[in-house]
Amino acid sequence: MVIHTRVSPLIAPYGGTLVDLMVPAEMRDDVKARASQLPSIQLSARSVCDLELLATGAFSPLDRFMGHVDQQCVLDEMRLQSGQLFPLPVTLPIEASPALHLDRDIALRDTKNDLLAVMTLEEIYPWDLAEVAHKAFGTLDLRHPLVAEMHHWGKLNISGHLRVLQLPKHYDFQELRLTPAQTRACLEGFGYSNVVAFQTRNPLHRVHEELTKRATLEVDGVLLLHPVVGMTKPGDVDHYTRVRAYKALATGYYDPHRILLALLPLAMRMAGPREALWHALIRRNHGANHFIVGRDHAGPGNDSTDKPFYGPYDAQNLLQRYSAELGVNMVPFRELLYLPDEERYEEVSRIPSGTRTASISGTQVREQYLNPGQKLPSWFTRPEVAEILAETYPPRHRQGVCIWLTGLSGAGKSTTAEVLTVLLLEHGRQVTLLDGDVVRTHLSKGLGFSKEDRDTNIRRIGFVAAEIVQHGGVTICAAVSPYRATRNDVRNLVGTDHFVEVFVDTPLAVCEKRDTKGMYAKARRGEIKDFTGINDPYEAPENPEITLDTVTQTPEDNARLILQHLLQRGFVRAQTTVGSNSGHANPVSHAS
Ligand code: ADP
Ligand code: ADP
């Protein structure tokens, strides 16, 4: 008898086979019962995402949170100790705990304490934040969202054999949540050996549609439209909105025989070039042998000197360099422009000079269309997609914003905030004032002024601020908030586009002279310890949106300065004058 094993037309997973960490169904009850006796640790949302991708083989050949040697090789050479490519560390950071012992099992639980997996503790090792930040992300700048986040990760990493009992539960878009094995099975059904994957964390416009269709035909294969729905860049359009739009696009505008839409629960690191390589590896595990990389792939935005963290083509170049070894071809995202006279898109390099072209940049989409509540033209965005975006992306003057006042005690934060509150109410916005002193009487009652307590206080304020902003409100936060890293965390939590850091830059001598609460005098007498500016540090903002001078300017001057900034950015609507024209830029120009 001849046994035919089915040969997949797709590229094999990286390393040959898909890692599968799931405990077989018949053994689950047993392992679960034993797990209830074990010490537990609760995973962060990020680690839960990582565990899911480890469990299903999306990170193959990696089959565990990295041990020390793997982590070191990855940082230094972008390889596991086995020599296989792996560009970014995937580690499980925890705080030291007396309950943890080598060679014993621990239970891993999600943020709601549901049991996910059992790990045999084979390694517990310290990790070096500066080294990881520098080597993996190329920066120590706290404006990098992951670098800022790492500051409150546990100081030890753990690693060991994993037995996964259940994947994290998802109640949304279940039909689109495919593991690598399920993705492969679906892709095989299309009958092509070439699969081109498209990674995205943004809404898709016509230009993306054109590009992905061209790439699909070029490789004569099928498109894996593979948006990230785990963790993306803070401030991104939420995945519910995005996925509704992807579905509308995929079902309405693509050849159904050439597209598979599936969701990837990845926690992005925003690591630019290294991340592009990682994305390609993950897509190979899902069956793709081509991967589209655009300008500034997985870019984290600008650093604190307002320069981009990575070069615009670094990601393309890095993937190009490793593409043969990884088995994934880099498909560059070439610039396309719309030709209004021919009603079609064309690559810039193929457009004769003098041809009429049209384009709208990402910034223009926000600033000239979505923010003022203007409908996107159908040559640019499919109407179904435009409608979904308009629903969840109200005009800027109905979006949330956080005005964060930082500075020494007595600098003038509360005084300025009170005037600003009135001005914003005058301009038709609802305001929630979160004043440090007031917050400390209820939300943060009982907290003191140690570094830890101050951080807790600021994170609480930041948490509330982020909720308010997410739901379209204006919040003014006035707290000393002396630590730069914590302020940057809050900026990332709120979303940097909705965060206005205001440095109330009053010299210590002036604050001390004002001493409205008599606290400086007490601090000087040694009756208060850890008093900011006297015997506790204040780290001034490096690149705040606004710096206030309270020595030569009145509180009203300063409040109006902030209002002006908010008017300019559209968070407050300018008073309309009769007969004025809003003057939208004309998107049509001529190719030169
Ligand atoms: P903070 O909230 O920063 O601790 P407050 O606003 O409570 O500071 O206190 C600042 C004090 O300084 C108030 O008594 C205020 O009247 C006084 N002050 C003097 N000039 C100014 C100014 N230009 N801006 C803000 N406050 C000022
Ligand atoms: P933080 O941002 O450090 O948590 P808050 O703005 O919440 O600070 O609270 C600071 C206020 O608490 C100051 O305006 C001051 O009136 C009072 N305060 C009491 N002790 C201290 C201290 N050791 N350092 C700074 N402010 C203190």
Side-chain angles (χ1 to χ4, degrees):
M1 192 176 88
V2 183
I3 298 171
H4 294 281
T5 46
R6 193 171 54 103
V7 179
S8 170
L10 305 177
I11 188 168
Y14 189 52
T17 46
L18 275 182
V19 166
D20 177 4
L21 302 180
M22 300 304 295
V23 173
E26 65 276 12
M27 290 164 62
R28 268 177 217 165
D29 286 343
D30 198 37
V31 179
K32 232 181 205 164
R34 275 187 289 130
S36 63
Q37 322 279 335
L38 298 173
S40 290
I41 60 168
Q42 202 178 24
L43 302 186
S44 65
R46 179 175 299 283
S47 296
V48 170
C49 288
D50 287 351
L51 180 69
E52 179 167 4
L53 295 201
L54 281 169
T56 58
F59 292 154
S60 300
L62 188 67
D63 64 356
R64 62 188 61 206
F65 291 102
M66 286 174 189
H68 187 225
V69 178
D70 270 338
Q71 187 217 223
Q72 197 62 49
C73 294
V74 164
L75 290 176
D76 292 332
E77 304 158 36
M78 300 204 303
R79 289 177 190 282
L80 300 171
Q81 57 178 315
S82 62
Q84 286 156 309
L85 281 171
F86 209 98
L88 285 172
V90 175
T91 52
L92 181 51
I94 57 152
E95 294 298 350
S97 155
L100 303 179
H101 302 281
L102 281 181
D103 300 322
R104 303 258 184 88
D105 285 350
I106 54 165
L108 307 186
R109 297 178 184 276
D110 69 8
T111 45
K112 284 164 273 158
N113 272 320
D114 271 351
L115 176 65
L116 297 179
V118 172
M119 177 195 262
T120 307
L121 264 184
E122 293 167 39
E123 281 187 61
I124 306 176
Y125 64 96
W127 61 283
D128 184 82
L129 192 150
E131 184 186 17
V132 174
H134 177 67
K135 290 182 175 168
F137 304 102
T139 181
L140 294 173
D141 194 314
L142 293 167
R143 284 279 174 96
H144 192 294
L146 207 87
V147 174
E149 187 191 300
M150 278 178 0
H151 281 262
H152 56 259
W153 288 0
K155 303 289 174 276
L156 298 174
N157 283 336
I158 57 174
S159 173
H161 179 64
L162 287 168
R163 277 161 295 161
V164 180
L165 288 156
Q166 61 166 341
L167 295 179
K169 286 200 187 86
H170 301 290
Y171 300 103
D172 57 335
F173 306 113
Q174 288 171 332
E175 76 286 4
L176 300 179
R177 293 184 176 270
L178 306 180
T179 64
Q182 290 167 335
T183 309
R184 287 174 163 273
C186 286
L187 287 172
E188 282 169 10
F190 287 85
Y192 296 96
S193 57
N194 285 324
V195 174
V196 56
F198 186 66
Q199 137 86 28
T200 179
R201 39 168 268 267
N202 284 312
L204 299 185
H205 300 288
R206 281 285 299 277
V207 68
H208 304 99
E209 179 188 328
E210 287 298 322
L211 168 98
T212 49
K213 284 178 175 169
R214 277 161 200 251
T216 312
L217 292 181
E218 236 164 73
V219 307
D220 187 23
V222 51
L223 173 68
L224 173 59
L225 183 55
H226 214 199
V228 172
V229 297
M231 294 171 76
T232 62
K233 194 176 142 192
D236 278 349
V237 177
D238 68 89
H239 83 263
Y240 302 104
T241 305
R242 288 189 290 117
V243 177
R244 278 188 287 133
Y246 302 139
K247 279 174 74 166
L249 195 64
T251 48
Y253 295 97
Y254 283 81
D255 173 356
H257 304 295
R258 292 225 186 227
I259 184 171
L260 176 66
L261 170 62
L263 309 184
L264 183 69
L266 171 71
M268 289 181 70
R269 293 351 192 217
M270 307 316 298
R274 278 193 183 226
E275 180 133 353
L277 206 56
W278 196 39
H279 287 174
L281 183 153
I282 294 166
R283 271 37 179 249
R284 170 165 174 179
N285 287 327
H286 286 81
N289 57 343
H290 298 269
F291 182 63
I292 299 172
V293 184
R295 212 176 162 277
D296 193 28
H297 190 99
N302 288 354
D303 66 15
S304 53
T305 64
D306 222 24
K307 290 202 196 70
F309 282 96
Y310 312 111
Y313 300 105
D314 290 1
Q316 290 187 349
N317 294 338
L318 192 73
L319 180 53
Q320 187 81 62
R321 180 146 26 110
Y322 288 98
S323 131
E325 182 177 354
L326 197 57
V328 180
N329 177 41
M330 197 279 289
V331 181
F333 190 148
R334 292 195 203 89
E335 197 190 343
L336 298 172
L337 288 178
Y338 186 67
L339 309 181
D341 297 325
E342 300 167 48
E343 295 184 9
R344 66 182 185 91
Y345 279 83
E346 187 51 277
E347 273 176 36
V348 171
S349 60
R350 301 166 80 170
I351 301 175
S353 71
T355 313
R356 256 175 24 113
T357 62
S359 67
I360 303 175
S361 72
T363 315
Q364 287 173 317
V365 167
R366 285 188 300 277
E367 291 180 1
Q368 289 173 18
Y369 291 90
L370 294 177
N371 288 340
Q374 197 74 13
K375 202 165 182 292
L376 285 161
S378 61
W379 63 264
F380 184 77
T381 303
R382 297 292 187 185
E384 293 86 340
V385 175
E387 200 164 305
I388 292 168
L389 289 181
E391 272 166 29
T392 38
Y393 205 98
R396 181 57 73 81
H397 68 270
R398 285 202 274 117
Q399 289 174 27
V401 62
C402 170
I403 299 118
W404 188 279
L405 299 147
T406 171
L408 297 170
S409 174
K413 301 181 295 298
S414 308
T415 309
T416 310
E418 272 168 40
V419 183
L420 181 62
T421 303
V422 173
L423 295 181
L424 286 168
L425 287 167
E426 181 196 348
H427 281 76
R429 296 234 52 172
Q430 300 300 312
V431 182
T432 307
L433 180 58
L434 297 171
D435 186 277
D437 284 309
V438 181
V439 167
R440 280 177 175 278
T441 65
H442 44 83
L443 183 64
S444 285
K445 193 172 171 156
L447 290 182
F449 291 89
S450 64
K451 171 149 194 340
E452 207 178 21
D453 277 7
R454 283 178 195 264
D455 276 350
T456 306
N457 180 39
I458 295 309
R459 280 187 215 291
R460 283 184 192 169
I461 298 176
F463 174 81
V464 177
E467 291 292 313
I468 292 169
V469 169
Q470 200 192 340
H471 296 290
V474 178
T475 177
I476 306 175
C477 305
V480 175
S481 45
Y483 302 114
R484 199 175 289 139
T486 321
R487 287 193 307 265
N488 278 319
D489 275 350
V490 173
R491 171 186 290 275
N492 288 322
L493 189 67
V494 171
T496 192
D497 289 347
H498 295 260
F499 191 80
V500 180
E501 190 173 22
V502 180
F503 178 26
V504 186
D505 187 11
T506 309
L508 176 64
V510 175
C511 298
E512 196 166 353
K513 199 156 148 236
R514 289 180 187 162
D515 206 7
T516 39
K517 300 171 204 158
M519 297 190 103
Y520 282 97
K522 280 191 189 159
R524 286 289 183 202
R525 289 197 301 269
E527 291 162 26
I528 307 178
K529 56 181 180 68
D530 306 333
F531 195 83
T532 305
I534 305 294
N535 37 27
D536 212 58
Y538 178 79
E539 300 169 3
E542 272 173 337
N543 197 6
E545 277 74 9
I546 301 174
T547 299
L548 299 183
D549 171 351
T550 71
V551 176
T552 64
Q553 306 294 307
T554 67
E556 183 180 341
D557 293 338
N558 283 331
R560 289 200 183 275
L561 193 73
I562 302 173
L563 179 70
Q564 203 50 45
H565 178 94
L566 296 173
L567 275 161
Q568 252 164 31
R569 290 180 59 184
F571 286 116
V572 175
R573 200 153 32 159
Q575 311 292 339
T576 42
T577 38
V578 181
S580 74
N581 187 328
S582 62
H584 288 295
N586 185 351
V588 177
S589 62
H590 288 82
S592 49

Short mmCIF file of all heavy atoms in Angstrom, two decimals, residues 405-418 435-437 478-480 504 506 510-511 514-517 520 548-558, ligand 1:
data_model
loop_
_atom_site.label_atom_id
_atom_site.label_comp_id
_atom_site.label_asym_id
_atom_site.label_seq_id
_atom_site.Cartn_x
_atom_site.Cartn_y
_atom_site.Cartn_z
N LEU A 405 -0.12 69.77 32.69
CA LEU A 405 0.74 70.81 33.24
C LEU A 405 1.71 70.20 34.24
O LEU A 405 1.28 69.54 35.19
CB LEU A 405 -0.11 71.88 33.92
CG LEU A 405 -1.10 72.60 33.01
CD1 LEU A 405 -2.35 72.98 33.77
CD2 LEU A 405 -0.47 73.84 32.42
N THR A 406 2.98 70.40 34.01
CA THR A 406 3.99 69.87 34.93
C THR A 406 4.90 71.01 35.38
O THR A 406 5.14 71.94 34.63
CB THR A 406 4.81 68.73 34.28
OG1 THR A 406 5.91 68.41 35.15
CG2 THR A 406 5.37 69.12 32.91
N GLY A 407 5.38 70.91 36.60
CA GLY A 407 6.28 71.95 37.13
C GLY A 407 6.32 71.86 38.64
O GLY A 407 5.57 71.08 39.26
N LEU A 408 7.18 72.64 39.23
CA LEU A 408 7.37 72.60 40.68
C LEU A 408 6.09 72.98 41.42
O LEU A 408 5.21 73.63 40.85
CB LEU A 408 8.49 73.59 41.07
CG LEU A 408 9.87 73.28 40.50
CD1 LEU A 408 10.81 74.47 40.75
CD2 LEU A 408 10.42 72.01 41.13
N SER A 409 6.04 72.62 42.67
CA SER A 409 4.94 73.07 43.52
C SER A 409 4.98 74.60 43.58
O SER A 409 6.04 75.19 43.75
CB SER A 409 5.10 72.47 44.91
OG SER A 409 4.13 72.99 45.77
N GLY A 410 3.83 75.21 43.38
CA GLY A 410 3.77 76.67 43.39
C GLY A 410 4.15 77.32 42.07
O GLY A 410 4.19 78.55 41.96
N ALA A 411 4.41 76.50 41.06
CA ALA A 411 4.81 77.05 39.76
C ALA A 411 3.66 77.83 39.11
O ALA A 411 3.88 78.76 38.34
CB ALA A 411 5.27 75.93 38.83
N GLY A 412 2.44 77.40 39.41
CA GLY A 412 1.29 78.09 38.82
C GLY A 412 0.43 77.16 37.97
O GLY A 412 -0.37 77.62 37.16
N LYS A 413 0.55 75.87 38.18
CA LYS A 413 -0.20 74.90 37.39
C LYS A 413 -1.71 75.04 37.65
O LYS A 413 -2.49 75.18 36.71
CB LYS A 413 0.25 73.47 37.72
CG LYS A 413 1.74 73.21 37.46
CD LYS A 413 2.14 71.78 37.78
CE LYS A 413 2.02 71.39 39.25
NZ LYS A 413 2.87 72.16 40.19
N SER A 414 -2.09 75.00 38.92
CA SER A 414 -3.52 75.04 39.24
C SER A 414 -4.13 76.37 38.84
O SER A 414 -5.24 76.42 38.30
CB SER A 414 -3.73 74.84 40.75
OG SER A 414 -3.06 73.69 41.17
N THR A 415 -3.41 77.44 39.10
CA THR A 415 -3.92 78.77 38.78
C THR A 415 -4.16 78.90 37.28
O THR A 415 -5.21 79.37 36.84
CB THR A 415 -2.91 79.83 39.28
OG1 THR A 415 -2.61 79.54 40.65
CG2 THR A 415 -3.48 81.23 39.16
N THR A 416 -3.20 78.47 36.48
CA THR A 416 -3.34 78.52 35.02
C THR A 416 -4.48 77.61 34.56
O THR A 416 -5.28 77.97 33.70
CB THR A 416 -2.02 78.08 34.35
OG1 THR A 416 -0.94 78.80 34.94
CG2 THR A 416 -2.04 78.34 32.85
N ALA A 417 -4.55 76.41 35.18
CA ALA A 417 -5.57 75.43 34.79
C ALA A 417 -6.98 75.98 35.02
O ALA A 417 -7.88 75.75 34.21
CB ALA A 417 -5.37 74.14 35.58
N GLU A 418 -7.15 76.72 36.10
CA GLU A 418 -8.48 77.26 36.39
C GLU A 418 -8.92 78.25 35.32
O GLU A 418 -10.07 78.23 34.87
CB GLU A 418 -8.49 77.95 37.76
CG GLU A 418 -8.80 76.98 38.88
CD GLU A 418 -8.52 77.57 40.24
OE1 GLU A 418 -8.83 78.76 40.45
OE2 GLU A 418 -7.97 76.84 41.09
N ASP A 435 -6.57 67.88 39.30
CA ASP A 435 -5.53 68.63 39.99
C ASP A 435 -4.84 67.71 41.00
O ASP A 435 -5.51 67.03 41.78
CB ASP A 435 -6.18 69.83 40.68
CG ASP A 435 -5.14 70.75 41.29
OD1 ASP A 435 -4.67 70.46 42.42
OD2 ASP A 435 -4.77 71.72 40.63
N GLY A 436 -3.52 67.70 40.96
CA GLY A 436 -2.75 66.80 41.83
C GLY A 436 -3.20 66.86 43.29
O GLY A 436 -3.50 65.84 43.90
N ASP A 437 -3.28 68.07 43.82
CA ASP A 437 -3.67 68.22 45.23
C ASP A 437 -5.05 67.64 45.49
O ASP A 437 -5.28 67.00 46.51
CB ASP A 437 -3.67 69.71 45.62
CG ASP A 437 -2.25 70.23 45.82
OD1 ASP A 437 -1.49 69.59 46.57
OD2 ASP A 437 -1.90 71.25 45.19
N ALA A 478 -3.05 68.80 36.34
CA ALA A 478 -2.06 69.68 36.95
C ALA A 478 -1.44 68.96 38.12
O ALA A 478 -2.05 68.86 39.19
CB ALA A 478 -2.72 70.99 37.40
N ALA A 479 -0.26 68.39 37.90
CA ALA A 479 0.44 67.68 38.97
C ALA A 479 1.93 67.94 38.79
O ALA A 479 2.39 68.10 37.65
CB ALA A 479 0.17 66.19 38.90
N VAL A 480 2.67 67.96 39.88
CA VAL A 480 4.11 68.20 39.77
C VAL A 480 4.70 67.25 38.73
O VAL A 480 5.46 67.65 37.87
CB VAL A 480 4.80 67.99 41.15
CG1 VAL A 480 6.31 68.11 41.01
CG2 VAL A 480 4.27 69.01 42.16
N VAL A 504 5.33 74.29 33.09
CA VAL A 504 5.17 75.55 33.81
C VAL A 504 6.53 75.85 34.44
O VAL A 504 6.87 75.38 35.53
CB VAL A 504 4.04 75.46 34.86
CG1 VAL A 504 3.78 76.83 35.49
CG2 VAL A 504 2.76 74.94 34.21
N THR A 506 8.61 77.76 36.11
CA THR A 506 8.85 78.82 37.09
C THR A 506 10.10 78.46 37.89
O THR A 506 10.18 77.35 38.43
CB THR A 506 7.64 78.95 38.02
OG1 THR A 506 6.47 79.05 37.22
CG2 THR A 506 7.77 80.16 38.93
N VAL A 510 11.54 81.50 42.58
CA VAL A 510 10.25 82.21 42.52
C VAL A 510 9.19 81.40 43.27
O VAL A 510 8.42 81.94 44.06
CB VAL A 510 9.85 82.45 41.05
CG1 VAL A 510 8.46 83.07 40.97
CG2 VAL A 510 10.88 83.32 40.35
N CYS A 511 9.15 80.09 43.01
CA CYS A 511 8.17 79.23 43.70
C CYS A 511 8.36 79.34 45.21
O CYS A 511 7.40 79.42 45.98
CB CYS A 511 8.34 77.77 43.29
SG CYS A 511 8.05 77.47 41.55
N ARG A 514 7.03 82.55 46.49
CA ARG A 514 5.56 82.54 46.57
C ARG A 514 5.10 81.73 47.78
O ARG A 514 4.25 82.16 48.53
CB ARG A 514 4.96 81.91 45.31
CG ARG A 514 5.10 82.76 44.08
CD ARG A 514 4.47 82.04 42.88
NE ARG A 514 4.73 82.77 41.64
CZ ARG A 514 4.64 82.24 40.43
NH1 ARG A 514 4.29 80.96 40.30
NH2 ARG A 514 4.88 82.97 39.37
N ASP A 515 5.64 80.57 47.90
CA ASP A 515 5.35 79.60 48.97
C ASP A 515 3.95 79.73 49.57
O ASP A 515 3.79 79.90 50.79
CB ASP A 515 6.42 79.70 50.07
CG ASP A 515 6.54 78.37 50.83
OD1 ASP A 515 5.91 77.37 50.39
OD2 ASP A 515 7.25 78.33 51.84
N THR A 516 2.94 79.62 48.67
CA THR A 516 1.56 79.85 49.11
C THR A 516 1.12 78.89 50.22
O THR A 516 0.30 79.24 51.05
CB THR A 516 0.58 79.69 47.92
OG1 THR A 516 1.04 78.59 47.13
CG2 THR A 516 0.54 80.94 47.07
N LYS A 517 1.67 77.70 50.21
CA LYS A 517 1.22 76.73 51.23
C LYS A 517 2.23 76.61 52.37
O LYS A 517 2.06 75.75 53.25
CB LYS A 517 1.02 75.35 50.58
CG LYS A 517 -0.03 75.37 49.49
CD LYS A 517 -0.05 74.05 48.72
CE LYS A 517 -0.63 74.27 47.33
NZ LYS A 517 -0.22 73.23 46.38
N TYR A 520 7.61 75.13 51.23
CA TYR A 520 9.05 75.29 50.98
C TYR A 520 9.77 75.60 52.28
O TYR A 520 10.84 75.04 52.55
CB TYR A 520 9.30 76.38 49.93
CG TYR A 520 9.05 75.91 48.51
CD1 TYR A 520 7.83 76.16 47.88
CD2 TYR A 520 10.03 75.19 47.82
CE1 TYR A 520 7.59 75.71 46.59
CE2 TYR A 520 9.80 74.75 46.52
CZ TYR A 520 8.57 75.01 45.91
OH TYR A 520 8.35 74.56 44.63
N LEU A 548 5.70 77.60 29.66
CA LEU A 548 5.11 78.85 30.17
C LEU A 548 6.10 79.60 31.06
O LEU A 548 6.85 78.99 31.81
CB LEU A 548 3.86 78.55 30.99
CG LEU A 548 2.70 77.85 30.27
CD1 LEU A 548 1.51 77.71 31.23
CD2 LEU A 548 2.29 78.60 29.01
N ASP A 549 6.04 80.89 30.96
CA ASP A 549 6.82 81.78 31.82
C ASP A 549 5.81 82.47 32.74
O ASP A 549 4.95 83.21 32.27
CB ASP A 549 7.54 82.78 30.90
CG ASP A 549 8.22 83.89 31.67
OD1 ASP A 549 8.00 83.99 32.90
OD2 ASP A 549 8.95 84.67 31.04
N THR A 550 5.88 82.20 34.02
CA THR A 550 4.90 82.80 34.93
C THR A 550 5.46 84.04 35.62
O THR A 550 4.80 84.63 36.46
CB THR A 550 4.41 81.81 36.01
OG1 THR A 550 5.48 81.58 36.94
CG2 THR A 550 3.96 80.49 35.41
N VAL A 551 6.70 84.38 35.26
CA VAL A 551 7.30 85.56 35.90
C VAL A 551 6.89 86.82 35.15
O VAL A 551 6.45 87.80 35.75
CB VAL A 551 8.83 85.42 35.97
CG1 VAL A 551 9.47 86.67 36.54
CG2 VAL A 551 9.19 84.20 36.81
N THR A 552 6.97 86.76 33.82
CA THR A 552 6.60 87.95 33.04
C THR A 552 5.17 87.87 32.50
O THR A 552 4.64 88.87 32.03
CB THR A 552 7.57 88.16 31.85
OG1 THR A 552 7.42 87.04 30.97
CG2 THR A 552 9.01 88.25 32.32
N GLN A 553 4.56 86.67 32.52
CA GLN A 553 3.21 86.52 31.97
C GLN A 553 2.21 86.23 33.07
O GLN A 553 2.53 85.51 34.03
CB GLN A 553 3.19 85.35 30.97
CG GLN A 553 4.23 85.43 29.86
CD GLN A 553 3.98 86.59 28.92
OE1 GLN A 553 2.89 86.74 28.38
NE2 GLN A 553 4.99 87.45 28.75
N THR A 554 0.98 86.74 32.91
CA THR A 554 -0.06 86.48 33.91
C THR A 554 -0.68 85.10 33.65
O THR A 554 -0.53 84.54 32.56
CB THR A 554 -1.18 87.52 33.81
OG1 THR A 554 -1.85 87.33 32.55
CG2 THR A 554 -0.63 88.95 33.90
N PRO A 555 -1.42 84.58 34.64
CA PRO A 555 -2.12 83.30 34.41
C PRO A 555 -3.04 83.39 33.19
O PRO A 555 -3.14 82.43 32.42
CB PRO A 555 -2.92 83.10 35.69
CG PRO A 555 -2.18 83.87 36.74
CD PRO A 555 -1.55 85.03 36.04
N GLU A 556 -3.68 84.51 32.99
CA GLU A 556 -4.58 84.65 31.83
C GLU A 556 -3.78 84.63 30.52
O GLU A 556 -4.18 83.96 29.56
CB GLU A 556 -5.41 85.93 31.93
CG GLU A 556 -6.39 86.01 30.76
CD GLU A 556 -7.27 87.25 30.76
OE1 GLU A 556 -7.41 87.90 31.83
OE2 GLU A 556 -7.80 87.57 29.67
N ASP A 557 -2.66 85.35 30.48
CA ASP A 557 -1.80 85.31 29.28
C ASP A 557 -1.48 83.86 28.93
O ASP A 557 -1.58 83.42 27.78
CB ASP A 557 -0.45 86.00 29.52
CG ASP A 557 -0.58 87.50 29.72
OD1 ASP A 557 -1.60 88.07 29.27
OD2 ASP A 557 0.34 88.09 30.34
N ASN A 558 -1.07 83.13 29.95
CA ASN A 558 -0.63 81.75 29.71
C ASN A 558 -1.78 80.85 29.29
O ASN A 558 -1.63 80.00 28.41
CB ASN A 558 0.07 81.21 30.96
CG ASN A 558 1.48 81.75 31.08
OD1 ASN A 558 2.12 82.06 30.07
ND2 ASN A 558 1.97 81.90 32.31
P1 ADP B 1 0.91 74.66 41.48
O1 ADP B 1 -0.44 74.17 41.08
O2 ADP B 1 1.89 74.65 40.34
O3 ADP B 1 1.45 74.04 42.70
P2 ADP B 1 -0.52 77.04 42.18
O4 ADP B 1 -1.18 77.49 40.95
O5 ADP B 1 -1.31 76.31 43.22
O6 ADP B 1 0.78 76.21 41.79
O7 ADP B 1 0.18 78.27 42.91
C1 ADP B 1 0.84 79.30 42.20
C2 ADP B 1 0.84 80.54 43.03
O8 ADP B 1 1.61 81.52 42.34
C3 ADP B 1 -0.56 81.11 43.20
O9 ADP B 1 -0.68 81.63 44.50
C4 ADP B 1 -0.63 82.22 42.15
O10 ADP B 1 -1.48 83.26 42.54
C5 ADP B 1 0.82 82.70 42.13
N1 ADP B 1 1.20 83.28 40.83
C6 ADP B 1 1.83 84.46 40.66
N2 ADP B 1 2.05 84.71 39.34
C7 ADP B 1 1.55 83.66 38.67
C8 ADP B 1 1.47 83.35 37.29
N3 ADP B 1 1.93 84.18 36.34
N4 ADP B 1 0.92 82.17 36.92
C9 ADP B 1 0.44 81.33 37.87
N5 ADP B 1 0.47 81.59 39.19
C10 ADP B 1 1.02 82.75 39.61
#
